[in-house]
Every structure is written in C-alpha cells, then in structure tokens.
C-alpha cells in the first residue's frame, strides 16, 4: 500500500472515531459551552461520575476521579498559588556602609531628596540596630535570625571552621524570599549578595547558596562584598555576564541594577497585574569604591571644607532640629584614632575635603537612582501598596584608614598609602582608574552622634538609619519611632503585615524559630512598647549587650589581635543607660559594678545560645584561613582559553609562594598578541601576555609599584612554549620578594628582581584568574582589557610550590 493510500485510510478512521465520540458525548456535555471555551475541558452537567467498583481512584491533592477511560474520569487541576488579595509589594533597600548621620533626613550634609521623601511620607526609626558588618547583617535581614545562628559571624571571606563562623547559612533558617514565594509572591534580588561562602563563588561550585538557591526567582548583581562600579563582576541568575556598556558609554552599576529592577517588575505586570513582588534592592553604594561621574562630585565643591570636627557639630544640630535625636544629646569626644582637623596640613585638608565630596556625590547619585525606582512605582500606581524598608547594613566604614586610599585593596593588604601618593593621583579618585575610600575622620562624622564605626559594637557600628514607607498601611507621616529594634525584626514584621504564618518546613526541612519579633504594632502607635528586651552583639571579639534600656560594651583592643584567656581576663566593660543617654556619652560602669556584672553574665548566656563561641579577635588574618575546597589540595592547575573567570579562592594560589607558569601557544604565520593568562586587576595581580612581537610579564603591586619583564628576543611564529617562573627569596612571611624569570622554549629571555609581592589578595579581589584575556580592569596600563589573545592557546599550567590550602589537622583539646 502506498503512503498516500495509508494516509487516506488513517484520515477516514480518525474522522470516524471523532464522530463516534461526539455522538456518545452529545448528551453529557453542553456543546455550545465546548465551542465557547475553545475545547472540551468542561465539567459534566450532571456532576462527576461515580467511580466504578474495583477501579482505582486517586486521592490526596488530586480530588478528581481516574478510571480506565477519560469518559468515566473527572479532571482536577492543581490550584495556582496566589497571594491574599490586597497583599502589599515589599521592597528592602539595603544601603552599604551608610552611617546614622549621613542621610539628609537623619541630619546629614549629603543630599538625599528621594530618601527624604520616603521619610517625609513615612516613618523614621532612630533606634534600629544591625550587627556592625555587612554579611552578618544581610543574613539577619533576610532570615530573621541572629547572625551567629546563620553561621555568619563575619563576612564570608573571613569564615572559619566553627559553628556560627563557617559562612554557610543553614537551610533550616529560611529566607524571606523562600517564604514569600510559597505564598504567591514573585521574588527578585539586584545588587550585592555577599551571602555565599567565598569558596563557592565560582562556576565549579554548588549553586544552592546562590540567590536562586534561596528562593529568589531572578538575580542580577555581584556575589561578593564589593565590586568595581564601572567594571563590576556581574552574575545574571547563575551565569557570569559582562556589563552591557563601558564607562565611556555612561555605564554605572547603580544605573544598571535600577533599570533591571524596573524591568523585572514590568515583566511581571505584563503577565499578572495583581501578583505582589518582593524586591531586595542592594546597591554596592556606599561601600568602596566611591565611584561616581565627576559632575556629581562637582555639586559638593567646597561643602566640607569645615572639616570633620565641625561637621559633627553641624550634623548633631540638624538631628536635634529634625527630632531624630533627643534634645540634650551630647557629642562624645573625637575617636582616639582620628587626628583633629586643626592639626591637618593644608594639603591634607584639601585632599580629605575632596574625598568627602566624592562620597557625597556617590550618595546623591544613589539616591537619584532610588528615586527613579520610586517614580516608576508611582507612575504605575503601585507605590501606595508597596511596603518599603530602607536600612544600612552597618555604620560608616573606617576602612580607608587615617589618610583614605586610592585603592581599598591596600587596606586589606595591610599597606597604608601616603598622603603624597594619593595627592599625586588625586584626579583618579572616583574614576574607573581607582578603588577609593575616604579617611576615617569622615567616617566618624558620618556616625554622628555616636562613637566608633563599622566593625565595632559601640553605637557608631550598630545603630543605623531606618525608614519605613507604606501609604496604604501607615496613617501618620513624617514621624519618628524610637522603639528598640534590630535587623532580625524585618522578616517577622513583613510576615505580620502580609498575614502569613511562617511555614513549619521549607523544602522538607523543619524551620528554626525566628529570633526577631514584629514591630508592625509601632506603625500607627508611637507610644507602643518595644517587644525586644535583650539583644547581644559580637564582631571581631568586640562585644555588647542591650537589656531593658541599658547597654554594656566590651571593646577588644587593639583591633585585630587574637583573643585568649589572658586577654579576656583583662577586658573591661563600659555601661550606658541607653534610654537616657542617646549617644553613649557617659560610661557608668564605675557607678554600677553590680549591673555591669549582670550584663556580662547575660552576654555569656546569649553567646552560648547563639553559637557566638569561640571568640576570634583576628581581622584580615582570617582571609587566609584554610577552607575546604572542591578538589583536594594540589600543586598543578591547568587552564584553557575563553572560560569564565576563576575566583581567587579556587584559582592557582600564587601569593606568598614560588610558582611557575607554562603555556603552549601558537602565534600562527603572522604572529599574535594578547593576554595568555592573568590574575587580578588594576590594583594588584600579574599578567603574561604578548605585544609588539615580544613576550611580557607584568606584576602589579597594589597599584603603587609596577614591575615589567620584556623578552630580549622576539616571540617566534607558530608553536612555542612560553613561561614565567617566580622564586621567592625574601624572608617575610607575607609579601616577600623574589626573582622572576621569563622564558621562551625553555630559554631565559628576561630576569628581574621583584622586591615585594602582594601579601594577602590581588585587587579587585573578585576579578579572578583568566586564560586568553584579562577580565574587567587590566593588570597593566600597557593594554586595555580584555586584550584577547589573537593566536591559539592550547593550554596554560600554573604550578605552585606545595599544595594550596591544606586543611589543618583537627586538634583535640587536652
């Protein structure tokens, strides 16, 4: 039988079957309804048929009937999860390193008209607290649990192998995104994440602790603690991506994430006009680098010439006038680390003022982009029923040191840049060719009226600006709330607002209880009592405890030194009546020794409950703590061209050791140029590359010194093996110098002494190792990134002296 005949027979049979089914079904179905609905998915007129005896029916979530044929069965679709009608959208705006006294609506000297607008139409809380550091606070904001219970005692880059410290948020501590998603919300995150273990921020690691693994449906931002604002290391969902534009084309990260946020909401509304969303909007601002176009800096020219001492007085007066600080609040003495403004030289004053102008421009620029998001919500009639909470993750940052820095990487490598060096590079500040931070005199001013700053548990580090805006749910406008609250309280408050009972399990994992409590009852009652009687604090060994209106603080000095029992025995506690002494001006420890002892005992009890022990006073030394790796320790690393950047935690570890690079390349008949292999960026790292017919090796020491090797002979055409060997000869434990030897086909073609090397981490730290190109910022000014190799790289091998990152042997206390 021919195919044409077969098709004819099949067509006839099909028509016959359809006619038969139609006749058999005629009396059971409403035919006009079938045609009106476009198909036969119509309920029977006489109700569902009864299941025949002896035929299996399905129970449980499926409440229809399944029999041998569809005619005797009744369908039942799973009901889509929908939020309660009228549920508000929720936006968390998490600023970075913004002190209590920096926003305009909190008395600051920076211009923040859009955040001021939210405050004017909402509430300002002047008694909101964080953990004093970014990752710990962000973990609390998103889970409602204390940071040590989240295993996030510190930033993920400084994790250690103890409960409370290992940087892995337990799955029994569900994120608000995981909860709201299950109750019909869309969930988005843009900007800074910083909640994934450092060793899992790479393409070979599990993604269960990336945003999409913790309940967010869309992510666009960066995984680490900070990033270049002009050349960010971006991830879209689970995939590394390049910035869509260059700085010359007008690119800036805050612009990018704002437009992405609006795009996410627009995409959602095109499909479902009523589905509420949760947006976690976390710009890299105001963390270093303080990057902003020069026109935003120019708006603040000369504004900070009065210096940080006078600025504190001005800010406090503004705060009292606004009502965010009580009348009679006293200004504590200048932090002992900070030089009096009057003692600064004319050059220092000019430089320091300009660095503050950059910060102010950066903050105003960020505020403007937040205004862009607010305007979009208003234009689309979504603003009134959107609950917006604005918070900073900790106090202002002192990581610029006394002089500020051209590159923050200097701070993390233990190097203090000189005023003369920064002055020579003054025009680079705020531009793509910097990673700048202001001096900590301005940090102190930004934390007015408190003492200390980020990383420390005096109020300068832990009490932060907080704004709540929700026109539909909050009656009073432009009001102050003074109830004691903490970052762990945000999740319980949102669930209270949304009428959601926390699920007992998420993904089959039983959930832990919240440490936070709702403060929704304060929205429309200024006199409502705080539900939080006690809250502990710990950061780098600095301790504090709040209890019933009193606060005790035990600073660990000097900062960054290890803690042992002798140190603990010498540690002292300060005592403040926080209800009456807003700025922690008067230490009452000598007057009330019994209360001090009681407060210390409460701290130790809270520490035991929250995985705070063992205390660890070390700071950046934790960065080199050995951690478990995806593969066992090895001494040889093989790379191929074109792949994603390999993060510094899993890349060949070339810091503080001898190493060798060997690459098999083919330059073809006409020769080739470009990067063969590189690690780091424009403020620290190395690059092996070909240019102008020569083989080159560039070593960048923190952007301060540059060492270059150039081959004495031309790079041959066709196939060859090129390499660089570094032999450490210095005695220093960290950053020792050595000898670098450049080679072609096994022959030395250049030798140079490198007097010192990067001691801790290449910078920008998140640019990683690349083969065949130099990602984002270039290691050397001899080329522009990505400077892709135009020939063929068969492979590149980095061999290091000894296995990298061996896990320490388990020590059992005697």
């Amino acid at each position: 039988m021919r195919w044409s005949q077969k098709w004819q027979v099949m067509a006839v049979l099909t028509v016959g079957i359809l006619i038969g089914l139609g006749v058999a079904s005629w009396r059971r179905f409403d035919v006009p309804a079938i045609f009106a609905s476009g198909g036969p998915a119509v309920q029977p007129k006489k109700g569902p048929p009864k299941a025949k005896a002896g035929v299996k029916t399905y129970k449980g979530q499926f409440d229809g009937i399944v029999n041998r044929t569809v005619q005797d069965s009744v369908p039942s679709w799973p009901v889509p999860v929908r939020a309660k009608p009228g549920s508000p959208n929720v936006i968390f705006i998490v600023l970075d390193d913004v002190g209590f006294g920096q926003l305009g609506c909190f008395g600051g000297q920076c211009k923040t008209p859009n955040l001021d607008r939210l405050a004017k139409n909402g509430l300002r809380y002047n008694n909101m607290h964080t953990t004093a550091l970014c990752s710990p606070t962000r973990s609390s904001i998103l889970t409602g649990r204390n940071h040590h219970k989240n295993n996030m005692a510190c930033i993920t880059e400084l994790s250690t192998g103890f409960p409370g410290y290992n940087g892995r948020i337990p799955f029994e501590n569900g994120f608000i995104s995981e909860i709201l998603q299950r109750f019909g919300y869309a969930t988005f995150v843009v900007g800074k994440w910083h909640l994934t273990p450092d060793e899992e921020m790479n393409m070979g690691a599990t993604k269960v602790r990336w945003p999409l693994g913790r309940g967010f449906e869309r992510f666009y931002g960066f995984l680490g603690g900070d990033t270049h604002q002009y050349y960010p290391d971006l991830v879209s969902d689970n995939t590394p991506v390049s910035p869509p534009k260059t700085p010359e084309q007008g690119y800036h990260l805050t612009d990018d994430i704002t437009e992405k946020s609006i795009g996410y909401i627009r995409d959602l509304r095109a499909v479902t006009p009523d589905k509420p969303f949760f947006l976690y909007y976390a710009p890299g601002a105001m963390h270093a680098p303080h990057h902003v176009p020069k026109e935003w800096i120019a708006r603040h020219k000369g504004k900070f010439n009065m210096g940080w001492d006078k600025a504190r007085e001005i800010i406090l007066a503004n705060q009292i006038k606004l009502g965010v600080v009580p009348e009679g609040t006293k200004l504590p003495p200048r932090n002992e680390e900070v030089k009096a403004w009057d003692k600064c030289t004319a050059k220092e004053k000019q430089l320091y003022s300009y660095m503050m102008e950059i910060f102010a421009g950066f903050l105003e620029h960020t505020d403007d982009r937040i205004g862009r998001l607010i305007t979009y919500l208003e234009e689309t009639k979504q603003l009134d029923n959107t609950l917006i909470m604005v918070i900073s993750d900790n106090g202002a940052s002192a990581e610029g040191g006394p002089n500020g820095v051209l590159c923050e990487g200097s701070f993390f490598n233990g190097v203090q840049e000189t005023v003369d060096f920064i002055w020579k590079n003054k025009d680079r500040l705020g531009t793509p060719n910097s990673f700048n931070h202001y001096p900590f005199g301005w940090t102190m001013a930004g934390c007015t009226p408190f003492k200390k700053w980020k990383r420390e548990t005096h109020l300068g580090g832990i009490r932060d600006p907080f704004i709540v805006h929700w026109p539909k749910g909050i009656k009073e406008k432009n009001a102050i709330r003074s109830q004691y609250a903490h970052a762990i309280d945000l999740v319980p408050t949102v669930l209270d607002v949304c009428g959601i009972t926390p699920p007992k399990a998420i993904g089959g994992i039983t959930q832990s209880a919240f440490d936070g409590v709702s403060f929704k009852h304060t929205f429309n009652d200024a006199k409502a009592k705080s539900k939080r009687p006690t809250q502990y604090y710990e950061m780098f060994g600095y301790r504090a405890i709040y209890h019933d209106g009193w606060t005790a603080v035990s600073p660990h000095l000097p900062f960054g030194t290890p803690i042992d029992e002798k140190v603990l025995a010498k540690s002292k506690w300060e005592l403040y009546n926080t209800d009456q002494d807003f700025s922690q001006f008067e230490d009452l420890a000598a007057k009330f020794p019994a209360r001090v002892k009681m407060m210390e005992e409460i701290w130790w009890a809270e520490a035991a409950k929250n995985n705070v022990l063992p205390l660890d006073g070390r700071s950046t030394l934790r960065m080199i703590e050995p951690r478990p790796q995806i593969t066992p320790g090895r001494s040889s690393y093989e790379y191929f061209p074109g792949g994603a950047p390999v993060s510094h935690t899993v890349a060949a570890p070339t810091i503080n050791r001898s190493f060798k690079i060997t690459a098999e390349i083919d330059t073809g008949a006409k020769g080739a140029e470009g990067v063969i292999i590189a690690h780091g960026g424009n403020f620290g790292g190395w690059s092996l590359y070909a240019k102008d017919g020569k083989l080159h090796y560039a070593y960048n020491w923190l952007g301060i010194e540059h060492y270059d090797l150039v081959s004495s002979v031309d790079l041959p055409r066709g196939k060859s093996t090129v390499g660089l060997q570094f032999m450490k000869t210095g005695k220093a434990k960290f950053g020792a110098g050595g000898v670098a030897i450049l080679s072609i086909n096994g022959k030395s073609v250049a030798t140079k002494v490198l007097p010192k090397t990067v001691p801790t981490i290449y910078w920008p730290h998140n640019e990683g190792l690349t083969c065949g190109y130099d990602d984002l910022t270039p290691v050397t000014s001899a080329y522009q990134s990505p400077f892709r190799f135009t020939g063929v790289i068969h492979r590149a091998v980095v061999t290091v002296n000894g296995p990298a990152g061996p896990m320490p042997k388990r020590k059992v206390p005697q």
Side-chain angles (χ1 to χ4, degrees):
M1 183 181 292
R2 296 180 179 178
W3 273 107
S4 59
Q5 293 173 324
K6 288 182 180 180
W7 281 112
Q8 291 173 359
V9 171
M10 290 173 66
V12 172
L13 288 173
T14 301
V15 172
I17 292 170
L18 291 173
I19 293 173
L21 289 173
V23 172
S25 305
W26 186 267
R27 294 183 180 180
R28 291 188 62 206
F29 292 95
D30 186 341
V31 175
I34 293 177
F35 286 103
S37 65
V42 180
Q43 295 295 320
K45 291 183 69 176
K46 296 182 180 180
K50 296 181 180 179
K52 294 181 179 179
V55 177
K56 179 181 179 182
T57 61
Y58 290 79
K59 297 181 180 180
Q61 291 184 344
F62 178 78
D63 60 0
I65 298 173
V66 175
N67 280 314
R68 291 178 62 181
T69 65
V70 72
Q71 284 79 11
D72 294 325
S73 303
V74 178
S76 175
W77 290 93
V79 178
V81 176
R82 295 189 178 95
K84 293 180 180 179
S87 294
N89 305 311
V90 179
I91 299 178
F92 286 175
I93 298 176
V94 183
L95 302 172
D96 206 327
D97 292 357
V98 173
F100 186 87
Q102 289 183 317
L103 302 182
C105 52
F106 277 79
Q109 296 176 288
C110 301
K111 298 177 182 178
T112 54
N114 294 288
L115 291 173
D116 296 354
R117 173 190 171 192
L118 292 180
K120 185 177 181 180
N121 292 301
L123 306 174
R124 278 167 291 173
Y125 284 73
N126 65 1
N127 210 357
M128 171 58 74
H129 298 79
T130 59
T131 71
L133 204 62
C134 41
S135 294
T137 293
R138 290 162 192 269
S139 77
S140 295
I141 287 172
L142 288 171
T143 67
R145 280 85 169 185
N146 283 318
H147 60 299
H148 292 88
K149 281 190 178 177
N150 286 327
N151 299 339
M152 201 66 74
C154 195
I155 58 175
T156 62
E157 293 87 348
L158 304 186
S159 59
T160 61
F162 295 98
Y165 289 76
N166 64 36
R168 289 157 170 78
I169 300 176
F171 291 103
E172 56 264 31
N173 295 359
F175 281 39
I176 185 175
S177 47
E178 295 174 299
I179 298 172
L180 292 180
Q181 185 191 55
R182 283 161 173 75
F183 283 87
Y185 273 71
T187 54
F188 314 133
V189 52
V190 298
K192 176 174 174 175
W193 180 242
H194 211 195
L195 294 172
T196 299
D198 199 32
E199 56 272 21
E200 292 182 8
M201 295 183 197
N202 61 80
M203 295 310 293
T206 174
K207 307 299 183 293
V208 297
R209 293 183 181 88
W210 288 32
L212 268 61
R214 296 308 310 247
F216 286 101
E217 295 164 331
R218 305 187 76 173
F219 167 55
Y220 185 81
F222 57 101
L223 292 171
D226 60 22
T227 193
H228 206 289
Q229 297 293 302
Y230 295 111
Y231 294 106
D233 54 314
L234 288 172
V235 173
S236 179
D237 296 335
N238 282 348
T239 304
V241 296
S242 298
K245 296 188 295 185
T246 66
E248 293 74 22
Q249 296 169 323
Y251 181 83
H252 192 282
L253 178 59
T254 313
D255 294 333
D256 196 5
I257 64 166
T258 302
E259 293 308 313
K260 191 66 69 172
S261 300
I262 293 171
Y264 285 169
I265 299 169
R266 185 184 294 121
D267 289 348
L268 178 69
R269 291 291 170 257
V271 178
T272 170
D274 301 319
K275 185 174 184 176
F277 63 83
F278 169 59
L279 170 64
Y280 182 75
Y281 178 96
M286 299 303 296
H287 198 290
H290 298 163
H291 280 160
V292 67
K294 285 191 176 292
E295 60 267 24
W296 290 87
I297 302 171
R299 298 182 182 196
H300 300 272
K301 185 175 178 59
K303 187 174 181 180
F304 301 100
N305 289 348
M306 84 293 291
W308 46 64
D309 290 325
K310 185 63 176 178
R312 293 178 77 207
E313 298 175 7
I314 294 171
I315 294 169
L316 177 58
N318 292 341
Q319 292 172 329
I320 293 173
K321 183 177 180 180
L322 291 170
V324 293
V325 167
E327 290 275 359
T329 297
K330 297 179 180 179
L331 199 61
R334 182 190 310 109
N335 292 347
E336 59 269 21
E337 301 93 339
V338 179
K339 181 163 56 172
W341 184 258
D342 289 343
K343 297 292 180 65
C344 296
T345 66
K347 179 187 288 187
E348 287 173 336
K349 289 180 179 179
Q350 187 175 346
L351 177 63
Y352 299 162
S353 297
Y354 181 62
M355 295 172 102
M356 184 58 200
E357 291 170 15
I358 296 171
F359 178 90
F362 192 21
L363 180 52
E364 185 180 359
H365 177 269
T366 304
D367 175 85
D368 184 78
R369 274 40 184 178
I370 292 171
R372 165 87 176 100
L373 175 61
I374 295 168
T375 299
Y376 169 76
L377 294 172
E378 187 174 40
E379 291 174 348
T380 54
K381 301 186 182 346
Q382 299 181 75
L383 183 61
D384 282 355
N385 198 28
T386 297
L387 172 62
I388 301 175
M389 293 182 169
V390 183
I391 193 170
S392 176
D393 58 358
N394 43 244
S397 170
E399 289 158 359
N403 302 329
V405 288
L406 176 66
C407 175
E408 187 193 34
S410 298
F411 168 83
F412 285 105
N413 280 285
V415 174
Q416 177 60 57
E417 297 175 2
T418 66
V419 170
D420 287 343
F421 171 77
I422 304 169
W423 180 264
K424 289 177 183 177
N425 292 279
K426 181 172 175 281
D427 291 342
R428 294 168 58 186
L429 295 170
T431 73
N433 198 21
S434 69
F435 211 96
N436 52 304
H437 196 300
Y438 59 10
F440 57 33
W442 290 117
T443 309
M444 175 185 65
C447 294
T448 302
F450 310 125
K451 63 181 73 172
K452 297 302 182 178
W453 38 50
K454 173 184 178 180
R455 304 185 305 167
E456 303 187 28
T457 58
H458 282 88
L459 289 180
I462 63 173
R463 186 175 288 179
D464 295 292
F466 184 58
I467 301 169
V468 179
H469 182 273
W470 184 30
K472 187 175 180 179
I474 299 176
K475 298 176 184 178
E476 196 173 1
K477 310 297 181 188
N478 196 27
I480 307 298
R481 295 289 184 266
S482 297
Q483 292 85 357
Y484 195 97
H486 190 275
I488 56 177
D489 298 330
L490 269 65
V491 171
T493 302
V494 169
L495 298 186
D496 192 5
V497 166
C498 297
I500 292 174
T501 301
K504 294 182 180 179
I506 295 177
I509 298 175
T510 301
Q511 294 295 286
S512 65
F514 288 134
D515 295 311
V517 293
S518 172
F519 54 83
K520 177 192 171 187
H521 65 294
T522 69
F523 283 2
N524 292 303
D525 186 357
K527 296 181 180 180
K529 298 291 185 181
S530 171
K531 296 180 180 179
R532 175 159 301 289
T534 305
Q535 180 61 42
Y536 83 93
Y537 299 88
E538 186 280 333
M539 190 58 61
F540 296 111
Y542 280 72
R543 295 172 285 163
I545 184 76
Y546 167 83
H547 182 69
D548 288 343
W550 291 76
T551 303
V553 184
S554 180
H556 168 52
L557 300 172
F559 185 89
T561 56
I563 294 177
D564 56 22
E565 287 296 335
K566 292 180 180 179
V567 172
L568 278 179
K570 294 179 181 178
S571 64
K572 296 181 180 180
W573 287 83
E574 302 168 7
L575 181 68
Y576 303 96
N577 185 339
T578 316
D579 279 354
Q580 298 179 12
D581 181 4
F582 188 85
S583 64
Q584 290 185 339
F585 179 83
E586 185 179 6
D587 179 8
L588 301 175
K591 292 183 179 181
F592 301 102
R595 183 176 286 275
V596 172
K597 184 177 180 180
M598 179 193 73
M599 298 286 278
E600 182 179 8
E601 289 173 351
I602 293 173
W603 188 90
W604 283 109
E606 291 296 306
K609 289 193 306 185
N610 287 279
N611 297 335
V612 180
L613 306 179
L615 290 175
D616 191 349
R618 297 173 301 158
S619 179
T620 53
L621 279 178
R622 296 192 208 177
M623 192 172 290
I624 58 174
E625 184 87 0
R627 300 184 185 92
Q629 298 293 321
I630 300 171
T631 57
R634 53 191 170 128
S635 58
S636 182
Y637 297 76
E638 189 173 30
Y639 299 103
F640 299 93
V646 181
S647 69
H648 70 97
T649 51
V650 292
T654 54
I655 288 180
N656 294 319
R657 53 165 48 92
S658 300
F659 64 92
K660 184 178 181 180
I661 304 169
T662 304
E664 299 169 6
I665 65 172
D666 189 339
T667 60
K670 297 182 178 180
E673 67 173 7
V675 172
I676 300 168
I677 186 169
H679 190 176
N682 61 344
F683 283 97
W686 51 261
S687 176
L688 181 66
Y689 66 98
K691 185 182 179 185
D692 299 328
K694 304 286 187 180
L695 180 66
H696 299 251
Y697 178 75
Y699 192 90
N700 182 332
W701 189 77
L702 303 176
I704 300 173
E705 296 182 17
H706 301 264
Y707 314 127
D708 297 289
L709 283 78
V710 183
S711 62
S712 56
V713 299
D714 289 343
L715 189 61
R717 304 292 172 89
K719 294 181 179 180
S720 61
T721 299
V722 299
L724 182 286
Q725 184 173 8
F726 173 76
M727 294 174 289
K728 178 181 173 182
T729 58
K731 301 291 185 180
K733 186 175 181 181
F734 301 108
V739 178
I741 302 173
L742 196 62
S743 65
I744 299 176
N745 292 326
K747 295 182 179 181
S748 173
V749 292
T751 301
K752 192 163 193 171
V753 173
L754 309 188
K756 48 194 169 186
T757 57
V758 174
T760 305
I761 188 169
Y762 301 132
W763 209 268
H765 65 94
N766 40 27
E767 292 197 17
L769 183 149
T770 50
C771 183
Y773 67 105
D774 186 351
D775 192 38
L776 302 176
T777 63
V779 169
T780 172
S781 60
Y783 58 74
Q784 291 184 339
S785 291
F787 198 42
R788 297 184 182 277
F789 191 68
T790 56
V792 176
I793 302 172
H794 296 290
R795 68 173 189 155
V797 178
V798 181
T799 305
V800 300
N801 184 20
M807 288 301 294
K809 294 181 179 179
R810 182 172 179 265
K811 295 181 180 179
V812 180
Q814 299 299 316

